[in-house]
Amino acid sequence: MLQTSLWILSISIVTAASSRGEDNTLYNCTCHGEHCSGNTCIGKRCFVTEQLLENDQVFRVRGCFTTNLPEQCNSKTKVSEARCCSSHFCNANMTIFPPKEKPEVTSLVLVTVLPIVLFLIIAVLFIFLFWKLRGKSRKKSLARLIDFGNIDIVNASTVGDSTLGDLLDDYCTTGSGSGLPFLVQRTVARQVTLVECVGKGRYGEVWRGTWQGENVAVKIFSSRDEQSWFRETEIYNTVLLRHENILGFIASDMTSRNSSTQLWLITHYHDSGSLYDYLQRNTLNPEDCLQLAVSIICGLVHLHVEIFGTQGKPAIAHRDLKSRNILVKANKECCIADLGLAVIHSQTGDYLDIGNNPRVGTKRYMAPEVLDETVRTDSFESYKQTDVWAYGLVVWEICRRTIINGMVEDYKPPFYDVVPHDPSFEDMKKVVCIDQQRPNIPNTWCLDKVLSALTKIMRECWYQSPSARLTALRIKKTLNNLKNSLEQRKQEC
Ligand code: ADP
Ligand code: MG
């Protein structure tokens, strides 16, 4: 409709113009539209009219004006316009409205899809690089800590693929003590996140924490037990103590928070908790029972013996051995913890270092000579003998939880039947020294090879006379022989 009216307008202009006439020059013009009788026309002016249609397309008419009227070329609205020119075919390529180009499919792809694809490629690359670097930085974070402390103990090439455990092993063979250099320990400690409290002891709390995604145990000492922290820190840092049956040390740290001192000891974390916890929840078969007893004596022998040479260690007596200070590992072996009361002895260096901890051992596990105060505090041998007494009590706790002929005892602590819940020194002294009582041995234990062997050992740990007791080394040898003979018999069957 609009197209037709514009065309009629053009034609009427052509007709009206022809009746006047001033400049008589005629031009050949391009003619395109329904009014044309061919591709060309002759007139005094060439013209083009354009009209913008709704779909953004242009309706264009070309032709000739036979008159020279100025208003002919002045028709202009938002959507339509006419233009004139005066030369041959000057309207041939003339356009008015700029062509609205339809984007081509290829350019559409370039404009929209390409940036998205590029973005995705870059994002994938970033994620990949981030993932790679994160893995590397986790592995190398301890190496960076070494830089932080300006300590160059570990060769960088040994750090590459190591976990915390591997690195600790590296330090163990290069440093003097069992762990990391002090500055590294402090840095590690301050990067630990506490997750949950797993136990409250007599003198503090134990938390499960994480360091770089690995579980660690954090023992937070109360200020009244700072001497235990000092002693344990000192021993772990001066003595090469890494052994599968001694709790693995990671770091020690002292911080000042709200004007009070916080003392942390960070060690390996063992999900099963202490042997005390473990025995409450689990019963054992004789094999497990022997494995627990063997692993504890292996740890105790490692403490008790002095090892000579560059990788050597002085002899150490624990002085607070009990089921709460022994942890159960995932492989059902034990490791000995809590060296806060330990004494150190060296034959070569000829010294006995008993520390200056006012704490005493756990009364329930005290040997008769400690209870009647006849113990020779100047002799290292006597400290080892008190450990052997306590070992016998721990083995008794383990044996009670072992199933023999379908029978098993409840978990009970030693002397549960003769002293109160929190026995006093005097309570224990009366039972152990005066009455010379020993834990009860059920008759069923003699029915089993393991339990009867362990019973014999227990009895030899509990002699009143300290020097009559077995040594840890002797116990270890006896139990290893028993273990080997059992394994041999199993193979023969
Ligand atoms: P206590 O003072 O009675 O010897 P501790 O303070 O040594 O007790 O430990 C309290 C409890 O925390 C333990 O009985 C045990 O359940 C838990 N615990 C201690 N150390 C660890 C560890 N390294 N991994 C897991 N649990 C631990
Ligand atoms: Mg403890």
Side-chain angles (χ1 to χ4, degrees):
M1 174 72 185
L2 233 137
Q3 296 166 22
T4 329
S5 60
L6 194 79
W7 176 73
I8 290 168
L9 167 88
S10 319
I11 302 307
S12 60
I13 294 167
V14 176
T15 324
S18 57
S19 60
R20 298 183 198 174
E22 289 123 42
D23 178 4
N24 288 325
T25 317
L26 292 172
Y27 302 103
N28 288 321
C29 306
T30 299
C31 198
H32 180 78
E34 284 184 36
H35 68 286
C36 300
S37 51
N39 286 338
T40 57
C41 54
I42 299 172
K44 290 190 172 168
R45 282 179 171 212
C46 302
F47 75 84
V48 62
T49 65
E50 283 187 359
Q51 181 194 350
L52 272 178
L53 303 179
E54 273 171 16
N55 58 1
D56 275 350
Q57 283 195 315
V58 175
F59 178 73
R60 187 176 295 116
V61 175
R62 301 185 198 275
C64 328
F65 288 138
T66 49
T67 55
N68 234 341
L69 298 172
E71 64 267 26
Q72 286 172 333
C73 298
N74 285 342
S75 75
K76 184 177 177 182
T77 72
K78 248 186 181 174
V79 290
S80 70
E81 193 175 334
R83 271 188 202 166
C84 304
C85 58
S86 314
S87 61
H88 291 300
F89 298 113
C90 59
N91 68 340
N93 295 317
M94 202 155 97
T95 55
I96 299 168
F97 295 122
K100 282 224 168 154
E101 279 178 19
K102 257 196 166 179
E104 281 178 42
V105 179
T106 46
S107 58
L108 238 173
V109 167
L110 280 176
V111 171
T112 56
V113 179
L114 202 68
I116 293 172
V117 170
L118 273 173
F119 174 79
L120 283 177
I121 290 171
I122 291 168
V124 167
L125 269 173
F126 256 100
I127 291 167
F128 179 74
L129 274 175
F130 176 74
W131 183 71
K132 271 263 178 196
L133 284 173
R134 195 167 160 259
K136 271 195 180 161
S137 76
R138 230 189 97 173
K139 284 168 189 162
K140 290 206 168 162
S141 45
L142 266 170
R144 268 188 270 116
L145 291 178
I146 298 159
D147 291 345
F148 170 82
N150 278 330
I151 295 164
D152 187 20
I153 289 182
V154 170
N155 181 328
S157 65
T158 63
V159 176
D161 285 329
S162 306
T163 62
L164 184 53
D166 297 335
L167 284 163
L168 282 163
D169 288 343
D170 291 335
Y171 276 110
C172 163
T173 51
T174 49
S176 59
S178 318
L180 306 167
F182 289 118
L183 274 168
V184 181
Q185 287 184 36
R186 167 177 287 196
T187 312
V188 168
R190 289 169 196 196
Q191 288 173 345
V192 166
T193 313
L194 297 181
V195 181
E196 55 175 338
C197 181
V198 293
K200 277 191 168 47
R202 281 182 301 165
Y203 298 107
E205 292 176 354
V206 177
W207 285 70
R208 179 173 71 82
T210 53
W211 185 81
Q212 306 269 330
E214 284 183 61
N215 274 336
V216 292
V218 182
K219 185 164 179 176
I220 304 175
F221 289 73
S222 71
S223 52
R224 70 190 177 108
D225 195 27
E226 64 178 21
Q227 284 305 327
S228 294
W229 177 85
F230 273 113
R231 189 60 168 171
E232 204 155 8
T233 300
E234 184 188 2
I235 291 178
Y236 272 124
N237 280 306
T238 54
V239 179
L240 188 65
L241 256 190
R242 303 203 79 77
H243 185 274
E244 56 192 320
N245 304 118
I246 306 288
L247 178 59
F249 168 74
I250 297 170
S252 217
D253 189 33
M254 177 194 278
T255 49
S256 178
R257 255 170 240 178
N258 306 328
S259 76
S260 74
T261 310
Q262 276 233 346
L263 303 168
W264 281 21
L265 185 86
I266 303 170
T267 60
H268 289 174
Y269 179 77
H270 297 293
D271 221 11
S272 302
S274 67
L275 179 63
Y276 174 85
D277 305 326
Y278 186 81
L279 294 176
Q280 317 277 320
R281 292 190 301 262
N282 300 282
T283 54
L284 313 163
N285 59 41
E287 233 168 74
D288 297 337
C289 166
L290 182 59
Q291 165 131 316
L292 294 177
V294 167
S295 61
I296 299 166
I297 204 65
C298 286
L300 195 61
V301 167
H302 185 71
L303 283 180
H304 280 187
V305 296
E306 179 170 2
I307 299 173
F308 303 98
T310 45
Q311 296 287 302
K313 64 171 273 298
I316 294 170
H318 190 283
R319 288 178 73 209
D320 196 15
L321 194 66
K322 57 176 176 170
S323 52
R324 281 179 195 266
N325 281 340
I326 295 167
L327 296 161
V328 180
K329 304 198 291 182
N331 65 0
K332 287 195 188 165
E333 282 198 18
C334 291
C335 62
I336 298 175
D338 200 340
L339 299 173
L341 261 188
V343 299
I344 307 171
H345 175 252
S346 168
Q347 269 178 355
T348 36
D350 189 26
Y351 68 83
L352 174 67
D353 172 6
I354 57 168
N356 60 346
N357 195 341
R359 174 182 142 194
V360 290
T362 307
K363 293 177 203 100
R364 192 182 288 277
Y365 289 82
M366 278 177 182
E369 65 276 18
V370 179
L371 290 166
D372 67 14
E373 295 168 86
T374 57
V375 64
R376 288 190 52 197
T377 51
D378 58 343
S379 151
F380 181 68
E381 283 304 303
S382 48
Y383 294 105
K384 290 200 288 188
Q385 289 154 354
T386 64
D387 281 349
V388 169
W389 167 274
Y391 173 76
L393 297 178
V394 170
V395 171
W396 178 84
E397 290 171 77
I398 298 170
C399 288
R400 276 182 65 93
R401 300 297 285 150
T402 306
I403 305 169
I404 302 296
N405 284 357
M407 283 177 287
V408 67
E409 316 284 327
D410 292 339
Y411 173 80
K412 291 287 180 200
F415 304 109
Y416 73 100
D417 47 350
V418 284
V419 297
H421 174 67
D422 185 15
S424 67
F425 199 83
E426 290 306 316
D427 293 332
M428 290 305 304
K429 189 174 166 182
K430 177 170 187 305
V431 166
V432 174
C433 304
I434 301 166
D435 300 344
Q436 300 203 359
Q437 294 200 57
R438 299 294 182 262
N440 178 49
I441 306 286
N443 290 331
T444 46
W445 292 8
C446 66
L447 301 174
D448 180 82
K449 200 165 189 286
V450 171
L451 264 73
S452 47
L454 288 174
T455 301
K456 187 165 181 289
I457 287 172
M458 277 177 237
R459 291 211 164 105
E460 293 183 55
C461 293
W462 294 336
Y463 288 130
Q464 206 77 12
S465 160
S467 58
R469 290 175 205 150
L470 295 171
T471 62
L473 195 57
R474 182 70 260 157
I475 299 170
K476 180 181 164 180
K477 283 180 179 166
T478 307
L479 291 185
N480 271 336
N481 286 342
L482 176 64
K483 202 174 146 189
N484 291 340
S485 74
L486 288 180
E487 271 165 15
Q488 221 168 2
R489 202 193 287 176
K490 220 175 159 186
Q491 278 171 356
E492 283 164 13
C493 285

